[in-house]
Amino acid sequence: MMQIPQAQAITGSRVPAMAAAPLTKRKVTSTVREARIRRVFVAAGFFSVIIMGLIILFLFKEGLGLFSTVSVKDFLFGEFWYPTYDPADFGIFPLIMGSVAVAALSSAMAVPLGVGAALYLGEVASHRTREILKPAVELLASLPSVVLGFVGMVVIAPLMQQWWDIPTGLNVLNASMMLAIMAIPTIASISEDALHAVPRDLMEASLALGATRLETLTRVTIPGAISGMGTGVILGMSRAMGETMVVLMVAGGAAQIPTSIFDSVRPLPATIAAEMGETPFGSEHYHALFAIGIVLFLLTLGFNLVAAYVSRRFQQKGAATL
Amino acid sequence: MSRHNLAMRHLRQNLAFGLFRLIMLAVLGALGGILVYVFIHGVGAISWEFLTQPPKNSMTAGGIFPAIMGTLYLTVGALLVALPLGVSAAIYLSEYATEGRALRIVRLGIQNLAGIPSVVFGLFGLALFVGYFKLGVSIAAGSLTLGLLILPTIIGASEEALRQVPGTFREASLGLGATRWQTIRKVVLPAALPGILTGSILGIGRAAGETAPIMFTAATFYTMGLPRSPLDQVMALPYHIYVLATAGTHIEQTRPLQYGTVLVLISLVLGLSLVAIIIRTRMRKTKQW
């Protein structure tokens, strides 16, 4: 702001005095214009919030219609999902249990593997190896889910059936394995970033005191990175919970509460994807599928809020909190 | 500390580090295994005809040209939606926003948008674009849905790119009398362009591979020719794979076509991601500031 009168003063010696008038005028309009432009960008910033609002609005608008005929309790805890029978049953408890089963088992596989890969990248690998392998892991993250669903269905399922002599290879175990492959890169990449962000002087202090690299890792680096690693794990689990194509193609599709890892299940996203195509617009079944969408939305929202909380609550603040 | 004790501690370290290395190998092995397996089974199906002809004999022969074009239309459409909005939102976050409640709300919105499952985006697209705006099952509805899905990716990458432009660039421009908008348009944005480009390519890759959001909003089993308007339905590569593998009447017979389609999709998506990663790595190395 200070420069403008000065510039006028300099040009003023060479340009006729009347030039000053348009210059001031332009300055005023440009301030108005700047304010307008600023408002455009603020609006763009808030667009994501508006979209979140619209998603909530439309999910509830289409989904809540179901609860005029089915109680929330019967919907959430009903044990039978027969949406096309007459009278229809809209109990999603088996679907929730199906989702929980694949999310839990895939996390049990993906968390140790993802964290292990992150520890290798962050602590063991040389700088050059890391430069090559980190992008490779990120590449694994961009593998389309329909491809993993296809591999699980066409390659893994027949093998499982052969090896263990089970009725179907499309089951909780197979789906969990494919979901784990999807979740590992998320967990590994975020955890590695967290390890990388731990201040170097903390590690150097530990090494200088005679601790081995492993001892430094377990007692200094990991505690310092725990909030970021926790965030990565939760986001990976959330991704496994909401992923559609893998469970649609590989989980088997039977709406039952699983009792073994070789049972077929019908997780929440698979139900929506499989049935929405054949459902008449505005029917009770249509509303029920949107109601499942609400449940799924709230579940993943919960995961994300917990992740945000973990990343704030256990944040490493300088060296003092260790 | 005794020598024996030290040896034990180093042994323990070697065991642990060996385990981490083994895990990394297993993870890469899974990726490599899938890629090699699909390549071996799919490469035989790839031919000029496969890439340039529509399906024939009720999907048991012919090519996947309409699906390739459909995926192209949908991803370009998604980018047209997400790029202007995403870059503008990133400009707000990096250039205009000040710490406070408003910024926290915006960040929370973006974070949660990124976490919403893709099938929920599909439901939303069905309710809003297909139903409420009466676009029908169409390229337009699918592109809008996919555009919102990749919006957080674009915002994230663009904001990072903008933040990496040093403050001295802005100060120099403002010091010369440029307004804030002139500074953004002529100094900050050009400097951040490679980063924004990387984000866009990653977004395209993501949009091209997604199936669930287009199942109810854009994709169809079979079209006679190419779409003639944005309100037409389209075939798309991911949906084509799903349909051929699960719903066809000749599932076993079309196996080679399925592998071929998977190979085309993987090449497209991983190729895009690879390009983005290479641009980013090169940029980080050669950056002068």
Side-chain angles (χ1 to χ4, degrees):
Chain A
M1 286 297 135
M2 291 302 289
Q3 266 79 357
I4 290 164
Q6 230 171 350
Q8 258 173 289
I10 295 165
T11 50
S13 60
R14 274 183 283 153
V15 183
M18 54 175 273
L23 203 61
T24 343
K25 200 180 160 205
R26 205 170 74 208
K27 194 186 139 201
V28 172
T29 51
S30 85
T31 319
V32 173
R33 199 163 148 248
E34 284 292 307
R36 265 190 215 134
I37 289 169
R38 184 178 190 284
R39 274 202 292 277
V40 169
F41 287 118
V42 173
F46 276 90
F47 189 76
S48 296
V49 181
I50 296 168
I51 291 297
M52 273 297 285
L54 282 176
I55 289 177
I56 294 170
L57 181 74
F58 273 85
L59 280 182
F60 279 79
K61 180 172 150 310
E62 303 288 335
L64 288 185
L66 178 75
F67 299 113
S68 57
T69 51
V70 182
S71 77
V72 175
K73 186 169 158 269
D74 287 346
F75 177 66
L76 288 178
F77 299 106
E79 287 186 28
F80 302 102
W81 175 257
Y82 295 124
T84 52
Y85 281 27
D86 191 27
D89 270 314
F90 294 108
I92 63 164
F93 193 64
L95 315 181
I96 295 178
M97 291 316 287
S99 270
V100 169
V102 291
L105 189 58
S106 66
S107 304
M109 295 186 233
V111 170
L113 292 176
V115 170
L119 291 176
Y120 174 78
L121 283 175
E123 294 301 316
V124 185
S126 68
H127 182 71
R128 265 191 75 170
T129 322
R130 182 177 173 273
E131 290 287 286
I132 299 169
L133 290 189
K134 181 110 200 269
V137 170
E138 283 169 9
L139 212 56
L140 185 61
S142 64
L143 208 58
S145 56
V146 70
V147 171
L148 287 169
F150 179 79
V151 169
M153 190 176 171
V154 175
V155 185
I156 309 292
L159 283 180
M160 275 191 179
Q161 220 173 338
Q162 244 172 36
W163 287 343
W164 295 315
D165 196 28
I166 43 177
T168 173
L170 302 175
N171 54 33
V172 173
L173 179 64
N174 191 350
S176 302
M177 278 168 53
M178 294 298 121
L179 284 178
I181 294 181
M182 295 211 70
I184 285 170
T186 310
I187 297 175
S189 186
I190 300 178
S191 300
E192 204 273 335
D193 287 341
L195 287 170
H196 208 66
V198 175
R200 273 225 77 78
D201 47 358
L202 289 178
M203 290 179 248
E204 279 162 9
S206 163
L207 291 170
L209 286 170
T212 63
R213 278 167 69 203
L214 179 66
E215 287 157 358
T216 305
L217 180 65
T218 53
R219 296 190 203 162
V220 178
T221 320
I222 292 180
I226 199 73
S227 93
M229 295 173 82
T231 309
V233 166
I234 296 167
L235 290 181
M237 288 170 70
S238 162
R239 196 171 170 199
M241 194 90 178
E243 172 40 48
T244 310
M245 295 317 287
V246 166
V247 289
L248 175 61
M249 296 171 82
V250 185
Q256 56 178 354
I257 298 169
T259 52
S260 107
I261 56 170
F262 299 120
D263 279 353
S264 279
V265 289
R266 191 180 190 84
L268 299 164
T271 312
I272 299 173
E275 295 171 19
M276 191 48 98
E278 297 132 27
T279 310
F281 192 85
S283 66
E284 203 176 24
H285 189 187
Y286 171 91
H287 292 307
L289 293 178
F290 270 90
I292 294 179
I294 298 176
V295 173
L296 199 56
F297 172 79
L298 292 178
L299 274 175
T300 48
L301 187 71
F303 270 110
N304 289 319
L305 292 179
V306 170
Y309 174 76
V310 166
S311 98
R312 236 182 345 184
R313 173 69 180 71
F314 300 102
Q315 190 109 55
Q316 169 72 26
K317 293 189 190 76
T321 53
L322 270 186
Chain B
M1 204 157 296
S2 74
R3 178 170 290 274
H4 173 71
N5 191 357
L6 191 64
M8 273 302 289
R9 287 161 68 204
H10 274 114
L11 178 66
R12 196 178 298 154
Q13 167 170 322
N14 288 340
L15 284 176
F17 283 10
L19 177 69
F20 300 157
R21 178 166 309 177
L22 215 62
I23 288 173
M24 189 72 223
L25 280 175
V27 170
L28 290 175
L31 171 67
I34 290 172
L35 294 184
V36 169
Y37 192 91
V38 168
F39 182 80
I40 290 173
H41 284 77
V43 75
I46 307 286
S47 65
W48 187 244
E49 194 209 350
F50 185 68
L51 297 175
T52 56
Q53 295 296 315
K56 284 178 208 149
N57 305 339
S58 59
M59 318 279 278
T60 57
I64 54 168
F65 184 63
I68 295 175
M69 291 311 288
T71 289
L72 193 72
Y73 289 136
L74 286 171
T75 47
V76 169
L79 201 62
L80 287 180
V81 174
L83 195 58
L85 279 170
V87 174
S88 305
I91 289 176
Y92 163 73
L93 289 172
S94 140
E95 308 297 317
Y96 286 102
T98 46
E99 289 299 326
R101 175 177 280 177
L103 183 61
R104 273 218 312 281
I105 291 174
V106 170
R107 290 215 180 277
L108 203 64
I110 296 169
Q111 266 171 26
N112 285 311
L113 201 61
I116 291 178
S118 55
V119 72
V120 173
F121 272 102
L123 284 180
F124 174 62
L126 175 67
L128 181 67
F129 302 127
V130 178
Y132 191 76
F133 287 155
K134 305 213 171 5
L135 294 172
V137 175
S138 63
I139 298 176
S143 294
L144 285 163
T145 310
L146 284 174
L148 297 181
L149 178 82
I150 62 171
L151 188 61
T153 312
I154 307 264
I155 296 177
S158 307
E159 194 199 346
E160 198 197 325
L162 290 168
R163 283 198 186 278
Q164 275 170 1
V165 178
T168 48
F169 279 37
R170 297 180 182 84
E171 286 155 22
S173 166
L174 292 171
L176 287 169
T179 64
R180 175 147 275 194
W181 169 234
Q182 285 167 338
T183 303
I184 292 170
R185 192 161 49 106
K186 303 220 167 126
V187 176
V188 183
L189 271 182
L193 204 60
I196 294 173
L197 185 70
T198 314
S200 313
I201 300 174
L202 286 177
I204 296 180
R206 170 108 200 265
E210 281 288 353
T211 320
I214 58 169
M215 280 173 102
F216 342 119
T217 59
T220 183
F221 185 60
Y222 177 72
T223 52
M224 284 290 285
L226 294 177
R228 277 175 303 275
S229 96
L231 293 178
D232 282 353
Q233 304 186 2
V234 279
M235 293 174 69
L237 287 171
Y239 189 67
H240 194 63
I241 295 171
Y242 168 67
V243 167
L244 282 188
T246 58
T249 40
H250 314 280
I251 292 179
E252 290 302 325
Q253 205 182 331
T254 59
R255 220 36 120 200
L257 296 182
Q258 297 167 24
Y259 276 111
T261 315
V262 170
L263 184 57
V264 170
L265 181 67
I266 288 188
S267 312
L268 185 73
V269 172
L270 293 195
L272 284 170
S273 303
L274 200 63
V275 168
I277 288 169
I278 289 171
I279 294 178
R280 196 182 55 194
T281 317
R282 187 157 297 174
M283 208 167 60
R284 279 183 188 159
K285 264 188 201 138
T286 58
K287 192 161 281 177
Q288 292 302 306
W289 56 76

